[in-house]
Amino acid sequence: MSRIEILAPAGSPESLRAAAACGADAVYLGIDVLNARRNAANFTRENLAETVQYCHIRGLKVYLALNIILLEQELPTLVEVARAACEAGVDAAIVQDLGAAALLRRCCPGLRLNASTQMAVHNPEGARRLEQLGFSRVVLARECSRQEIEQIVRATSLEIEVFVHGALCMCVSGQCYLSSVLGQRSGNRGLCAQPCRLGFETRASSHALSLKDMSLIERIGELESLGVRSVKIEGRMKRPEYVAAAVTACRDALEGRPIDLEGLQSVFSRSGFTDGYYTGIRDLNMFGIRGKEDVTAAAGVLGRLETLYTDPRRQVQKVGIGLDFSMQAGGPSVLSVADCDGNTVRVEGESPQAALNKPTSPERAEASLSKTGGTPYRVERVSCAIGPGLMLPAAAINALRREALSRLDGLRGRARTVPFDPSGIELPAAPEAAVPSIPALRVRLNRKEQLSEPLWREAGLVTLPVPELVALFRAGQVPEPLVDRLCAGLPHILFEGQDTLRSQLAELREYGVRHAGAGNLGSLEIASGCGFVLHGEAFFNAANSETVAALARMGLADLELSFELSLDAARRLRHPLPLGLTAYGRLPLMTVRNCPVRVSAGCRRCGEGENFVTDRKGNRLYASCAYGMTELYNPVPLYMGDRLDELSGLGFYTLRFTTEDAVECQRVLDGYRTGDAYPGKFTRGLLYKTIL
């Protein structure tokens, strides 16, 4: 079995050269569109083939990042990028959008798909669903513990990739809407403004949404023993010295050499590193910011780290080769070279002469043939068959070597094109779902105490979290007419407790509950085998027709579109199933595993009302916990009660009740009945904006 792969970020040509020189096994990079680091220098469609050739010659695989949520108008661009990727022969595409994955499967099924960490796959169920969708690899959520990684490895045939070093977002990747809600710069589309690094206060912290960078480099051997296939370094926005230092540290760890963690921390860190998610020790020590001392520390190490990739003597030669040299009287000199990937070349050079003084010995020939400095080639074997009394100048042997390695470059760098068939890119013919003139009203509650008779009589579907719904039935508080309209709300993030959830779902089926809501591939997989009518939630981030169609094929009866989608964009989508939008509620800005309120004040104080994080303007982001996760909500609610007519063209709209009590829920419902204006501060969310 091959060793674990070291996967490096290449946000610029300079960082790419640093990764190659320091011994990375693969790089991930983006071009000028459709990637989650659109502010990096990146590459272009025009130079992609040349970039891939450069990497393949040096023994690096290339993974093209197409890891953003796509808007409808970007689907043609994806097709053109896919064509360029196939022609260039990239080794895989990294994908977040389910629609993008489905489109790529149709037009280029031979292109390997890696599921981005933005897909928030974090349990065995999610990985198994990816297998069904044709993925080859999954990049796990960074919040996974050692035990959870091991469970996923055992449960799937997919290659498992984990982040081993770099920045940690506070929110589970793919589930953060903070940047887009505050300024239309969507983290799901590669333009996150990182507002979480600003001041957000709790009792114990002035930067309660900023985590230290992670580092598991010292645990690479352990990860390899778990069956992890690839370790990924975060950092396409970082400078090449950072890439060089991180790749070198990973290589040293893998090969048993001392690791320069001090230099690594100096080049970039936020108050040091953390391994809290991996170890399961999720406490206040995980939090940190990039202070002045962190910035000044970098100045002292950049020059030294630069030599890791600029000094030819330190370059890692990844490609092993064997050389067979023959020099016989009456014929040309011959050199055959074979590399570790099975490529072979044979070149002929000058004919040897009779030696006047010293004949060319095997030792002298080997010395010339082994001069591969400045190339990616590492000589592992030299065989010389030299006739007696013959001489060939060292310059001629050197020329033979250079010619052979140049031809080997050509073989290694030839385009490994992937078949591309544009005839498979059209959406399959499917009738559009009937759209009512007035969208149906749905309600999603956080707690059973929010439920009232007027509310459930008005709503066509009432969703409650599974434990709350179970408690409602066990207490005998469910009116008979309501049973058919109740929906079991599955958690969209569930690191543990799947067996308990399945047991609760089975109990709800016994009570007569027919509906279940899911917002993640893992929860969808759990619910799919339980006999429910399945409803898709906004956390799938559906923003284009391809994603809608892909989710319809997975068995959804209807789908709530992304929180980030505008009304106008929602209406333009082709849809084989009813679509809806959130029309009321404090939008979830983050879903986090290390609760900033818990580590600051404790769960008891949270239950007593200290359940919020405060921003620089004094606004409170309220926290709500379930299933070991915490959601942070927007300080003001989205409200559309006075503009209901503008929701026409949708199948349904959802009122999401979070912090409200039953009286407030009733008041909001009344506002939607009468079309009244909201009595306090509110927002229209992103319904009239276009995310960048």
Side-chain angles (χ1 to χ4, degrees):
M1 180 178 175
S2 59
R3 297 301 302 269
I4 196 169
E5 174 187 84
I6 298 174
L7 175 56
S12 67
E14 293 78 13
S15 292
L16 175 60
R17 288 193 288 272
C22 293
D25 300 303
V27 293
Y28 62 103
L29 53 85
I31 56 174
D32 47 350
V33 292
L34 307 186
N35 83 88
R37 289 293 182 269
R38 287 195 279 160
N39 285 333
N42 289 314
F43 299 82
T44 67
R45 275 169 276 188
E46 290 72 25
N47 67 18
L48 181 59
E50 178 184 347
T51 301
V52 173
Q53 180 187 51
Y54 174 91
C55 292
H56 283 174
I57 289 173
R58 288 158 180 78
L60 281 77
K61 292 182 177 179
V62 178
Y63 305 142
L64 180 64
L66 299 174
N67 54 341
I68 67 167
I69 293 299
L70 297 177
L71 301 178
E72 187 77 358
Q73 64 270 23
E74 293 172 322
L75 293 176
T77 301
L78 175 65
V79 174
E80 291 309 308
V81 171
R83 184 194 302 273
C86 290
E87 291 175 352
V90 301
D91 296 282
I94 308 171
V95 182
Q96 174 187 8
D97 192 295
L98 288 168
L103 190 151
L104 293 173
R105 284 272 63 79
R106 295 206 302 278
C107 66
C108 44
L111 179 63
R112 285 169 54 92
L113 293 184
N114 295 352
S116 169
T117 192
Q118 292 285 123
M119 274 193 171
V121 172
H122 57 286
N123 53 35
E125 291 80 7
R128 284 195 287 265
R129 178 62 64 149
L130 286 176
E131 287 184 28
Q132 300 166 28
L133 295 174
F135 281 81
S136 300
R137 174 183 291 192
V138 56
V139 188
L140 295 183
R142 279 169 254 209
E143 293 77 12
C144 288
S145 69
R146 180 197 183 282
Q147 291 75 18
E148 289 155 356
I149 293 170
E150 184 175 20
Q151 289 171 2
I152 297 171
V153 170
R154 290 178 176 177
T156 179
S157 62
L158 293 178
E159 294 179 355
I160 302 299
E161 179 181 310
V162 300
F163 276 90
V164 74
H165 188 83
L168 270 180
C169 295
M170 183 68 189
C171 182
V172 175
S173 294
Q175 304 295 292
C176 186
Y177 309 99
L178 180 63
S179 181
S180 58
V181 168
L182 292 182
Q184 298 174 245
R185 296 175 62 85
S186 171
N188 287 318
R189 289 179 44 76
L191 287 176
C192 180
Q194 298 191 29
C196 55
R197 302 297 182 186
L198 301 175
F200 287 88
E201 293 187 359
T202 59
R203 174 183 292 266
S205 176
S206 61
H207 288 77
L209 302 182
S210 181
L211 296 176
K212 295 176 181 177
D213 284 17
M214 73 179 303
S215 189
L216 304 179
I217 290 178
E218 292 180 295
R219 301 179 182 269
I220 285 182
E222 184 177 320
L223 289 167
E224 186 175 35
S225 69
L226 294 179
V228 171
R229 178 65 185 85
S230 177
V231 288
K232 186 173 195 171
I233 301 164
E234 182 277 337
R236 281 195 287 146
M237 299 292 290
K238 304 277 182 33
R239 57 192 306 150
E241 290 88 351
Y242 166 91
V243 176
V247 171
T248 300
C250 288
R251 181 65 56 191
D252 288 342
L254 192 58
E255 297 177 1
R257 295 188 293 267
I259 307 167
D260 183 13
L261 284 179
E262 182 178 345
L264 196 54
Q265 181 171 326
S266 295
V267 71
F268 194 94
S269 79
R270 291 181 172 89
S271 311
F273 300 133
T274 179
D275 60 1
Y277 283 134
Y278 184 80
T279 62
I281 304 173
R282 300 184 291 272
D283 57 19
L284 198 59
N285 290 323
M286 287 184 65
F287 292 78
I289 60 172
R290 186 155 173 79
K292 182 178 179 180
E293 63 277 9
D294 297 313
V295 176
T296 56
V301 299
L302 291 179
R304 173 172 63 83
L305 295 177
E306 184 182 17
T307 64
L308 291 174
Y309 66 96
T310 58
D311 186 346
R313 294 169 298 179
R314 304 188 68 172
Q315 178 176 329
V316 176
Q317 295 173 302
K318 286 188 56 61
V319 184
I321 58 173
L323 299 94
D324 293 286
F325 176 68
S326 174
M327 190 176 85
Q328 303 296 331
S333 54
V334 177
L335 177 62
S336 296
V337 180
D339 70 11
C340 53
D341 296 314
N343 297 298
T344 61
V345 296
R346 182 180 184 276
V347 295
E348 296 183 355
E350 295 180 18
S351 298
Q353 305 168 3
L356 298 178
N357 296 310
K358 291 184 178 180
T360 298
S361 66
E363 292 75 18
R364 289 179 60 189
E366 181 174 346
S368 293
L369 293 171
S370 298
K371 294 178 180 178
T372 58
T375 78
Y377 301 114
R378 179 184 70 256
V379 176
E380 296 179 336
R381 178 188 59 80
V382 179
S383 173
C384 296
I386 300 175
L390 298 177
M391 188 277 296
L392 190 66
I397 299 176
N398 291 338
L400 200 63
R401 182 200 70 239
R402 287 193 294 269
E403 175 65 18
L405 296 186
S406 176
R407 292 191 189 181
L408 188 57
D409 282 353
L411 283 180
R412 296 184 57 81
R414 67 189 184 280
R416 310 167 192 171
T417 57
V418 178
F420 180 85
D421 181 5
S423 66
I425 63 175
E426 291 297 327
L427 275 173
E432 291 194 352
V435 177
S437 57
I438 301 176
L441 167 65
R442 295 183 178 180
V443 168
R444 199 189 200 290
L445 308 176
N446 263 17
R447 306 179 308 280
K448 65 181 187 300
E449 291 80 12
Q450 294 170 314
L451 184 63
S452 64
E453 182 176 345
L455 189 149
W456 67 256
R457 287 193 181 279
E458 290 284 339
L461 197 69
V462 177
T463 301
L464 273 162
V466 169
E468 292 291 303
L469 198 51
V470 169
L472 198 66
F473 273 102
R474 290 177 179 176
Q477 297 175 342
V478 181
E480 185 62 31
L482 176 58
V483 175
D484 281 347
R485 281 181 277 163
L486 285 174
C487 179
L490 277 72
H492 61 282
I493 301 295
L494 185 67
F495 284 92
E496 55 190 356
Q498 291 93 325
D499 289 341
T500 299
L501 179 61
R502 289 188 180 93
S503 176
Q504 292 172 330
L505 289 173
E507 182 177 351
L508 291 175
R509 287 293 292 149
E510 291 294 321
Y511 289 129
V513 176
R514 300 188 302 111
H515 301 273
N520 179 273
L521 290 176
S523 58
L524 181 60
E525 180 73 7
I526 290 172
S528 291
C530 298
F532 291 101
V533 177
L534 299 174
H535 305 274
E537 297 193 335
F539 298 102
F540 276 119
N541 295 324
N544 62 72
S545 300
E546 284 281 350
T547 301
V548 172
L551 287 165
R553 290 191 293 271
M554 292 184 214
L556 293 185
D558 50 50
L559 174 64
E560 188 175 60
L561 296 169
S562 170
F563 299 117
E564 298 184 304
L565 201 61
S566 71
L567 263 174
D568 184 57
R571 292 194 193 97
R572 292 201 307 268
L573 297 187
R574 295 168 287 178
H575 49 96
L577 77 176
L579 302 179
L581 286 170
T582 296
Y584 172 81
R586 298 179 186 273
L587 294 178
L589 300 180
M590 285 187 169
T591 303
V592 305
R593 195 174 193 188
N594 192 2
C595 176
V597 178
R598 177 186 63 81
V599 300
S600 174
C603 294
R604 182 180 63 83
R605 286 185 178 274
C606 179
E608 294 173 349
E610 198 173 331
N611 58 334
F612 54 84
V613 173
T614 307
D615 71 11
R616 295 174 299 161
K617 298 180 180 179
N619 299 309
R620 291 180 173 181
L621 282 65
Y622 284 93
S624 175
C625 298
Y627 296 99
M629 302 298 296
T630 301
E631 281 190 348
L632 296 175
Y633 300 124
N634 200 31
V636 296
L638 166 69
Y639 186 77
M640 289 292 290
D642 55 344
R643 292 191 179 183
L644 273 183
D645 58 323
E646 297 179 29
L647 299 179
S648 62
L650 297 174
F652 63 93
Y653 65 92
T654 302
L655 309 184
R656 298 177 61 91
F657 294 109
T658 52
T659 61
E660 300 87 350
D661 59 22
V663 174
E664 290 176 290
C665 293
Q666 181 62 51
R667 187 181 302 125
V668 170
L669 179 64
D670 290 342
Y672 276 75
R673 283 171 169 169
T674 59
D676 290 346
Y678 191 71
K681 292 182 178 180
F682 70 97
T683 178
R684 304 292 187 190
L686 294 164
L687 294 177
Y688 297 97
K689 300 176 181 178
T690 300
I691 53 173
L692 302 176

